[in-house]
Amino acid sequence: MLEFRCFNPILIKYVPVLSRFLGITISMYWNDHLPPHYHARYGEYEIIIEIETGVVTGSFPKRSLRHVLEWHDQHQAELMTNWELCRQLEATIFIEPLE
């Protein structure tokens, strides 16, 4: 099921949250730099994951990293859709959390 977030230009300073699971927050920035990627946060940890390759930059607890990469594999197409939406400053689509 697709859930569209309401877009308001005034809210552009806020980071779109695409999903949350197991204490992990997945987000993208509006009109961010290439290559296509997203951010994952867990407590004080943050990583950047390239959508097409799965290359990870940053530091994350091993178990949480495994969860993010499993979720990534399940939702790569939806992540690319959201990347394009963010590049065009359009509303993002909520992605189902890891179960």
Side-chain angles (χ1 to χ4, degrees):
M1 180 172 137
L2 299 179
E3 177 185 326
F4 288 88
R5 301 279 189 209
C6 180
F7 179 72
N8 181 337
I10 295 171
L11 298 179
I12 198 164
K13 65 182 176 181
Y14 299 101
V15 177
V17 172
L18 306 179
S19 193
R20 292 179 202 265
F21 53 89
L22 304 172
I24 300 165
T25 301
I26 306 292
S27 60
M28 282 184 184
Y29 294 115
W30 302 112
N31 200 22
D32 208 354
H33 62 86
L34 293 172
H37 64 279
Y38 61 96
H39 301 255
R41 289 183 184 81
Y42 180 74
E44 72 268 12
Y45 299 97
E46 180 176 1
I47 54 176
I48 296 172
I49 305 95
E50 292 183 23
I51 297 170
E52 295 172 337
T53 64
V55 171
V56 175
T57 304
S59 176
F60 228 55
K62 289 181 183 181
R63 185 174 184 187
S64 297
L65 177 59
R66 282 194 305 269
H67 292 313
V68 170
L69 294 177
E70 179 183 349
W71 179 86
H72 170 97
D73 289 342
Q74 294 173 8
H75 299 288
Q76 196 168 4
E78 294 158 288
L79 286 162
M80 279 307 298
T81 298
N82 274 320
W83 174 262
E84 292 302 325
L85 291 169
C86 279
R87 296 281 289 175
Q88 298 168 26
L89 304 178
E90 295 182 13
T92 57
I93 302 166
F94 181 77
I95 302 175
E96 292 295 319
L98 183 68
E99 294 182 12

